[in-house]
């Protein structure tokens, strides 16, 4: 009986609200052809705010990819993409989405057809190829927001190029939507976006408390809104509520993992089809994954945003996001997180789906061992394609890793 | 033919050639990509050299790169870590695919070859702002070379480099055209060696040698019609000269390519008037596009079909390194384009070494044999549309 009480306490009441919002959002998107609204497909790290200003519904194939993964439909869809000639080694978000687009398969009966495509390559080169494929399939206009990679620093010419593209982007939207862009509203949407990002950061910060009121697995779940609806007051309201809930949990001493003993940091995207299993497995060792580099990426470049000139400063913020920087820069972010969340170990997800996120992990691992002296482990998967995942191998690794952490503790 | 043997020798051991250049007092700058602005390096009096990695040996790179990384990147890093690139005074990384992007970071953090530069090219090659950005990026690169090596790159120097590279590129194009019309004049692996050596040799010396070779080839043309079905090779960087022999033994012959170590590297001329950096940028902007750059969603398919038609390709072999995202994403589309035009194709995916001879031979034979009878006469299609030599 006491067990159930704990279980109840551990569940977030915000989770229900979030499901409602996401359902409303997808219904709105799926009925766009009836309401006369336009739909844009956009990459997860793409500049969404101008779309909101133009009253265009942004749809995120990557968020959909996560749904596919979580509902264990990834393997099947990826196999379909392979039958179409796409290599098994490609990003499983892209493969699953390509297969869905052709046959309306997948959860919620597929995504609504796009009226335009907005691709920002600040996360990878994959999205450029993926959106080219969809541009051929749907035969709709494609805008590429080309964010020069920042190996070290941000060059002046890159800044100019990125900034100019914001104007080009707005021009593109005006052309497709056949109406003028309202800059006053741009300010307002920008303000809401920044507010949403700040709240999201505060939510994640709550995990710095011992014991942590949330895990990275909760963050993976609650991430959906800052990805899909940033720039709206829905996001602000929702995260305000979630933050309150975090504070309550902290004040009541509710911990996400019972008897939290060890605190871990997760790197890379989640393994969408094994969230619960991974969460339970780590929890069985008294380990809480308190933070991760992935969900932080949606509030990691706030420092570059000028609140009074969102449209003017967004180019820099979108260019200098976590994945669009050099390995050593990423390592610095990880060091800071290790300190902030008082982490005992680093779990790196070597994600065959995502080369820009995964190549360089060995170097980061070495730097973490040298500079922070904490144990690190690596788990390999294809984040959405469950066919390649070996539970027994993962379990052996996790057990061995936790043993190292335990020994250091004693 | 003496010149031909020289090319073969250089192609067989680029490192030995590079060491000789270095011994003569010139600094050697390596790069892995067809987008490297070699003209600027050359105008600085430095020697640009294309690197290929140590074939089939990437064990030492395992500490830095997962197994699901393409062999080009793994072998490149391995060669550096194993000390095989001791002749370098610097490396340049133009921005292309995600894997090279990370290789650049890992390289910067773990190797020491002197000068290092990222040339962060635009990814989309469509807008005026991208063109301007590309020019600015080249300017930055020029400044970095100048300050690191303590030299000045003049407008005249750039102009002269541009002319040298234009001559080299037009020679290579003409050799390709000649081979397409009369495939018997060179074997596939000879042509491979010519191109590869061209990426390695001193460019002035190369220019003279290519011109001499071309004169010989022009005389040699009659009676050297090829044998075998006309094929096009499409893919990333090819580090496997054996593939040409295997194709020829299977009753095929490569008459054209769309490779990173082929036409994609030497296609397109640089305008010889106006601002040199803008002209160099202009060529990079206009030239045949690599799949990690964007021109239009259909640019690569259109280009492939045009080339296949122009060179009377009876079939296409896609030669891909495993784990190469940009090419793998394009494959179903390019194949569909060819299917639509009635041109059969096959995909050969190689990890680091070629599959066992017998196996690969059977696969290629099966493919070439379904392409119909061998053409024994010289192909004249190219001469109607192509440039006449
Ligand atoms: S998972 Fe990686 S490769 Fe796939 S879309 Fe996201 S950033 Fe790109
Ligand atoms: S383009 Fe392909 S083959 Fe070339 S480095 Fe990138 S992944 Fe490797």
């Amino acid at each position: 009986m006491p067990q159930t009480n704990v279980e109840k306490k551990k569940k977030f009441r915000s989770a229900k609200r979030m499901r409602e919002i996401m359902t409303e959002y997808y219904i709105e998107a799926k009925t766009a052809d009836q309401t006369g609204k336009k739909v844009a497909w956009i990459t997860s790290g793409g500049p969404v705010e101008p779309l909101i200003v133009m009253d265009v519904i942004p749809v995120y194939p990557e968020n959909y990819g996560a749904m596919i993964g979580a509902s264990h439909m990834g393997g099947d869809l990826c196999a379909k993409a392979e039958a179409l000639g796409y290599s098994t080694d490609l990003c499983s978000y892209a493969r699953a989405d390509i297969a869905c687009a052709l046959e309306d398969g997948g959860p919620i009966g597929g995504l609504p057809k796009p009226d335009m495509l907005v691709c920002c390559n600040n996360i990878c080169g994959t999205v450029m190829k993926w959106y080219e494929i969809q541009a051929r399939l749907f035969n709709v206009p494609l805008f590429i927001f080309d964010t020069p990679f920042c190996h070290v620093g941000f060059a002046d010419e890159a800044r100019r190029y990125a900034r100019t593209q914001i104007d080009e982007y707005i021009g593109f939207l005006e052309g497709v939507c056949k109406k003028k862009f309202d800059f006053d509203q741009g300010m307002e949407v920008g303000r809401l976006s920044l507010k949403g990002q700040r709240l999201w950061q505060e939510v994640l910060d709550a995990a710095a408390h011992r014991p942590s009121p949330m895990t990275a697995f909760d963050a993976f779940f609650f991430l959906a809104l800052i990805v899909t609806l940033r720039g709206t007051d829905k996001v602000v309201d929702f995260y305000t509520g979630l933050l309150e809930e975090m504070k309550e949990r902290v004040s009541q001493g509710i911990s996400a993992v019972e008897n939290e003993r060890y605190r871990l940091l997760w790197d890379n995207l989640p393994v969408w089809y094994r969230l619960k299993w991974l969460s339970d497995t780590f929890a069985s060792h008294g380990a809480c994954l308190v933070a991760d580099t992935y969900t932080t990426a949606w509030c990691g470049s706030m420092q570059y945003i000028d609140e009074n000139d969102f449209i003017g400063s967004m180019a820099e913020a979108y260019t200098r996001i976590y994945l669009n920087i050099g390995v050593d820069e990423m390592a610095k972010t990880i060091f800071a997180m290790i300190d902030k969340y008082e982490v005992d170990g680093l779990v790196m997800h070597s994600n065959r789906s995502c080369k820009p996120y995964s190549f360089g992990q060995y170097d980061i691992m070495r730097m973490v061992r040298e500079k922070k002296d904490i144990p690190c482990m690596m788990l390999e998967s294809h984040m959405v394609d469950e066919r390649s995942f070996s539970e027994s191998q993962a379990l052996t690794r996790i057990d061995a890793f936790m043993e190292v952490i335990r020994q250091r503790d004693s | 033919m003496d010149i031909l043997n020289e090319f073969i020798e250089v192609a067989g051991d680029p490192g030995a050639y590079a060491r000789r250049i270095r011994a003569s007092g010139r600094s050697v700058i390596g790069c892995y990509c067809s987008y490297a602005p070699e003209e600027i390096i050359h105008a600085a009096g430095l020697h640009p050299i294309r690197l290929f990695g140590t074939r089939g040996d990437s064990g030492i790179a395992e500490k830095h790169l997962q197994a699901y990384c393409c062999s080009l990147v793994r072998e490149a890093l391995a060669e550096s870590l194993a000390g095989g690139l001791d002749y370098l005074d610097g490396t340049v990384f133009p921005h292309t695919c995600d894997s090279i992007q990370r290789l650049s970071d890992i390289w910067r953090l773990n190797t020491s070859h002197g000068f290092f530069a990222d040339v962060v090219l635009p990814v989309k090659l469509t807008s005026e702002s991208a063109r301007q950005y590309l020019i600015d990026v080249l300017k930055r690169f020029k400044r970095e070379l100048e300050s690191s090596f303590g030299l000045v790159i003049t407008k005249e120097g750039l102009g002269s480099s541009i002319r040298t590279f234009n001559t080299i590129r037009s020679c290579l194009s003409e050799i390709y055209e000649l081979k397409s019309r009369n495939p018997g004049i060179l074997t596939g692996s000879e042509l491979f060696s010519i191109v590869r050596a061209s990426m390695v040799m001193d460019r002035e010396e190369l220019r003279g040698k290519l011109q001499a070779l071309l004169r010989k080839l022009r005389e040699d043309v009659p009676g050297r019609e090829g044998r075998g079905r006309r094929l096009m090779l499409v893919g990333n960087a090819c580090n496997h000269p054996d593939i040409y022999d295997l194709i020829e033994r299977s009753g095929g012959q490569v008459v054209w390519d769309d490779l990173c170590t082929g036409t994609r590297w030497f296609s397109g001329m640089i305008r010889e008037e106006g601002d040199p950096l803008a002209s160099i940028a202009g060529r990079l902007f206009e030239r045949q596009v690599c799949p990690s750059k964007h021109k239009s969603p259909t640019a690569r398919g259109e280009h492939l079909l045009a080339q296949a038609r122009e060179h009377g390709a009876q079939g296409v072999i896609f030669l891909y390194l495993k784990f190469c995202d940009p090419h793998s994403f394009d494959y179903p589309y390019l194949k569909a384009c060819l299917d639509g035009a009635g041109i059969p194709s096959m995909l050969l995916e190689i990890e680091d070494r070629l599959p066992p001879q017998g196996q690969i031979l059977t696969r290629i034979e099966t493919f070439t044999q379904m392409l119909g009878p061998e053409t024994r006469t010289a192909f004249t299609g190219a001469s109607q549309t192509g440039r006449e030599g």
Side-chain angles (χ1 to χ4, degrees):
Chain A
M1 210 56 199
Q3 194 64 19
T4 12
N5 270 340
V6 174
E7 286 299 318
K8 232 187 230 157
K9 267 205 215 157
K10 267 202 225 156
K11 286 233 163 69
F12 285 90
R13 53 173 191 274
S14 297
K16 182 163 166 279
R17 178 67 195 128
M18 187 168 115
R19 285 203 183 86
E20 284 164 11
I21 297 176
M22 286 307 283
T23 306
E24 278 164 31
Y25 158 72
Y26 272 116
I27 288 174
E28 201 198 345
K30 298 249 332 172
T31 53
D33 49 349
Q34 291 150 41
T35 53
K37 282 199 178 187
K38 288 200 187 308
V39 169
W41 283 16
I42 180 168
T43 52
S44 65
V48 64
E49 293 81 0
L51 289 176
I52 300 198
V53 173
M54 296 302 265
D55 207 17
V56 174
I57 304 177
V59 164
Y60 292 81
E62 289 155 77
N63 172 257
Y64 187 60
M67 275 167 67
I68 289 171
S71 45
H72 296 247
M73 295 169 103
D76 222 25
L77 286 165
C78 286
K80 283 187 179 135
E82 281 150 35
L84 297 167
Y86 292 98
S87 159
T88 342
D89 305 312
L90 294 170
C91 167
S92 47
Y93 275 169
R95 274 185 292 146
D97 179 62
I98 289 165
C100 276
L102 281 173
E103 54 174 71
D104 287 348
I108 65 165
L111 288 177
K113 304 260 173 298
D115 297 294
M116 71 195 90
L117 298 163
V118 179
C119 169
C120 178
N121 57 13
N122 59 356
I123 46 175
C124 62
T126 281
V127 288
M128 194 263 289
K129 302 309 293 177
W130 176 2
Y131 277 58
E132 283 181 351
I133 291 165
Q134 304 302 26
R136 288 192 293 267
L137 175 67
F138 294 110
N139 196 22
V140 293
L142 163 67
F143 183 81
I144 296 181
F145 181 39
D146 180 12
T147 47
F149 194 81
C150 308
H151 289 281
V152 278
F154 189 41
D156 291 341
E157 64 272 15
R159 184 188 310 273
R160 284 195 297 274
Y161 177 41
R163 176 63 191 89
T164 311
Q165 289 179 80
I166 296 293
D167 299 335
E168 292 167 359
Y169 178 31
I170 289 173
F172 167 87
L173 292 179
E174 290 181 334
V176 178
C177 301
K178 300 196 176 55
K179 67 176 180 197
K180 280 270 158 224
F181 185 84
D182 180 341
F183 281 88
D184 291 334
Q185 217 201 319
M187 276 286 287
E188 178 58 15
V189 171
R191 206 181 48 75
L192 288 172
S193 173
L194 187 59
K195 209 165 171 189
Q197 294 177 50
R198 282 196 186 122
L199 283 162
W200 177 239
Q201 180 70 66
E202 282 184 67
V203 167
L204 298 176
D205 287 348
H209 188 269
R210 276 179 188 267
S212 173
M214 70 180 291
T215 70
F217 299 99
D218 298 316
F220 295 148
F221 174 76
F222 288 121
L223 171 74
L225 281 198
I226 193 73
V227 174
T228 53
L229 288 165
R230 67 181 176 281
T232 66
D233 42 22
K234 273 202 191 103
V235 171
V236 172
D237 294 346
F238 176 78
Y239 288 125
T240 306
L242 183 59
L243 184 59
E244 260 166 42
E245 210 182 334
M246 289 299 167
K247 285 180 180 155
E248 278 168 29
R249 290 162 79 96
V250 168
S251 66
Q252 292 166 18
I254 300 175
S255 60
V257 167
E258 215 174 326
N259 303 321
E260 172 193 301
R261 286 199 62 173
Y262 307 112
R263 300 163 63 83
L264 306 173
L265 175 66
W266 175 273
D267 179 56
N268 210 311
L269 283 85
V271 184
W272 286 112
Y273 46 84
R274 282 294 183 285
L275 289 179
K276 177 143 175 27
W277 181 82
L278 281 167
S279 165
D280 291 350
T281 305
F282 280 108
S284 74
H285 290 279
C288 178
L289 285 143
V290 288
D292 71 284
T293 56
Y294 176 62
T295 55
T296 311
W298 277 268
C299 47
S301 58
M302 278 189 291
Q303 53 183 307
Y304 306 117
I305 298 176
D306 175 356
E307 206 163 346
N308 300 313
D309 180 20
F310 186 87
I311 298 292
S313 59
M314 66 190 284
E316 177 163 359
Y318 275 113
T319 304
R320 303 182 78 173
I321 70 157
Y322 184 67
L323 260 188
N324 210 41
I325 54 177
V327 163
D328 35 350
E329 291 294 310
M330 290 165 88
K332 280 185 207 152
T333 308
I334 290 183
F335 297 161
M337 291 181 81
I338 290 172
D339 294 342
K340 172 172 172 183
Y341 296 100
E342 298 179 1
V343 162
D344 306 299
L346 171 63
V347 183
M348 294 199 118
H349 171 203
S350 168
N351 183 358
R352 299 180 74 100
S353 276
C354 190
K355 297 182 176 79
Y357 215 144
S358 304
F359 295 164
Q361 276 177 323
Y362 285 122
D363 280 85
I364 294 179
M365 215 184 231
R366 179 182 46 76
M367 294 184 235
V368 166
R369 286 199 180 112
E370 281 167 15
K371 292 242 159 59
K372 295 292 162 194
D373 189 31
I374 58 168
C376 307
M377 73 167 287
M378 207 174 250
L379 268 182
E380 190 172 299
S381 100
H382 242 317
M383 75 214 170
V384 160
D385 183 348
E386 73 272 15
R387 291 169 304 169
S388 64
F389 190 78
S390 160
E391 222 166 72
S392 59
Q393 199 188 59
L395 193 61
T396 315
R397 293 228 176 139
I398 294 170
D399 286 348
F401 173 67
M402 289 314 304
E403 188 50 40
V404 173
I405 292 197
R406 241 189 316 274
Q407 276 171 13
R408 287 170 66 107
D409 188 37
S410 56
Chain B
M1 192 191 289
D2 284 352
I3 309 177
L4 199 50
N5 282 332
E6 281 182 55
F7 282 122
I8 293 170
E9 203 187 306
V10 175
D13 191 356
Y17 188 92
R19 283 188 189 91
R20 280 206 299 279
I21 293 246
R22 195 164 191 241
S24 76
R26 214 154 10 128
S27 298
V28 179
I29 308 290
C31 61
Y32 287 97
C33 176
S34 69
Y35 279 103
E38 296 177 41
E39 301 84 2
I40 304 177
I41 301 172
H42 180 258
L46 312 170
H47 178 66
I49 185 173
R50 183 72 164 270
L51 304 171
F52 309 96
T54 342
R55 247 171 64 193
D57 182 16
S58 62
I60 190 171
E62 270 167 22
K63 274 195 282 180
H64 302 274
L65 285 163
Q66 287 91 331
Y68 51 89
C69 175
C70 81
S71 60
L72 177 77
V73 165
R74 275 186 289 123
E75 288 169 3
L77 185 65
E79 186 167 28
S80 167
L81 295 176
L85 299 176
D86 54 350
Y87 54 81
L88 288 183
D89 298 286
T91 31
V92 177
F93 284 87
H95 185 268
T96 53
C97 70
D98 292 338
S99 307
I100 284 281
Q101 166 184 303
R102 287 299 176 212
L103 174 65
S104 151
D105 284 337
I106 296 170
W107 194 275
R108 176 168 51 82
L109 296 168
N110 295 283
T111 73
S112 42
H113 298 295
F115 176 77
F116 175 91
D118 283 304
V119 180
V120 189
L121 304 165
V123 170
K124 71 170 173 190
L125 304 174
T126 52
S127 63
E128 265 320 298
S129 61
R131 184 191 290 271
Q132 185 54 52
Y133 170 65
L134 176 52
I135 296 172
D136 291 343
V137 165
L138 295 182
K139 278 189 194 152
R140 166 181 296 274
F141 177 58
K142 173 174 166 285
R143 278 199 311 274
E144 286 175 358
L145 278 179
E146 288 175 330
S147 67
S148 293
F149 289 91
L151 44 82
V152 178
I153 302 172
T154 63
K155 198 171 168 200
E156 292 66 40
L158 283 168
S160 137
S161 276
I162 287 173
R163 286 190 295 280
T164 303
F165 277 86
N166 274 347
T167 310
I168 290 169
R169 290 190 181 113
S170 81
C171 284
L172 286 169
S173 303
E174 195 183 335
I175 294 171
Y176 259 58
E177 293 284 351
L178 285 175
K179 158 98 174 145
S180 171
R181 281 203 290 278
N182 305 275
I185 57 168
L186 291 166
T187 65
S189 72
E190 283 167 345
L191 187 61
F192 170 90
S193 296
I194 294 169
V195 180
R196 200 171 152 109
S198 299
M199 299 169 158
V200 170
M201 280 166 79
D202 168 71
R203 301 307 194 265
E204 314 301 337
E205 183 189 346
L206 171 69
R207 177 172 56 181
K209 295 243 155 85
L210 283 176
Q211 283 168 329
L213 175 69
L214 199 48
R215 277 195 295 278
K216 279 216 66 145
L217 288 177
R218 284 194 195 118
E219 287 160 16
D220 220 27
V221 165
R224 294 264 252 152
E225 77 259 13
R227 277 166 169 259
R229 289 87 172 171
R230 302 178 61 84
L231 300 175
M232 219 180 127
L233 214 49
V234 176
N236 24 38
C238 178
N239 215 358
H240 297 277
D242 312 351
I243 194 81
Y244 294 92
D245 297 337
L246 290 168
I247 289 172
E248 281 156 19
R249 276 168 58 195
S250 314
Q253 54 187 354
V254 178
V255 297
W256 202 257
D257 70 37
D258 183 349
L259 294 174
C260 184
T261 44
T263 63
R264 275 210 301 285
W265 173 62
F266 63 74
S267 76
M269 292 295 147
I270 303 178
R271 226 164 51 103
E272 294 185 5
E273 304 82 42
D275 173 49
L277 289 182
S279 301
I280 294 170
R283 171 180 170 270
L284 293 177
F285 214 75
E286 307 299 338
R287 64 153 251 216
Q288 185 179 328
V289 75
C290 146
S292 63
K293 300 276 167 227
H294 172 83
K295 222 170 209 174
S296 86
T298 53
R300 289 204 73 227
E302 285 154 10
H303 182 81
L304 174 59
L305 278 187
Q307 300 251 285
R309 288 201 175 109
E310 185 174 336
H311 297 283
Q314 293 166 275
V316 168
I317 297 182
F318 290 98
L319 185 69
Y320 287 171
L321 293 183
K322 195 166 164 54
F323 305 116
C324 172
D325 290 353
H327 281 279
S328 301
F329 271 116
D330 272 354
Y331 169 68
Y333 163 63
L334 295 182
K335 179 177 186 304
C337 288
L338 293 170
D339 288 350
I343 303 171
S345 62
M346 74 173 285
L347 170 62
L348 263 183
E349 219 181 22
I350 41 185
E351 205 141 339
D352 44 2
R353 289 159 217 267
L354 289 180
Q357 282 237 353
Q359 190 195 328
I360 193 168
L361 206 57
T362 313
R363 286 192 57 202
I364 303 175
E365 260 170 11
T366 314
F367 176 66
T368 47
Q369 269 149 30
M370 63 174 239
L371 300 177
E374 293 188 5
T375 48
R376 290 200 179 222
T377 46
F379 175 72
T380 49
S383 62
Q384 286 147 21
T385 43
R387 299 170 309 107
E388 265 296 286

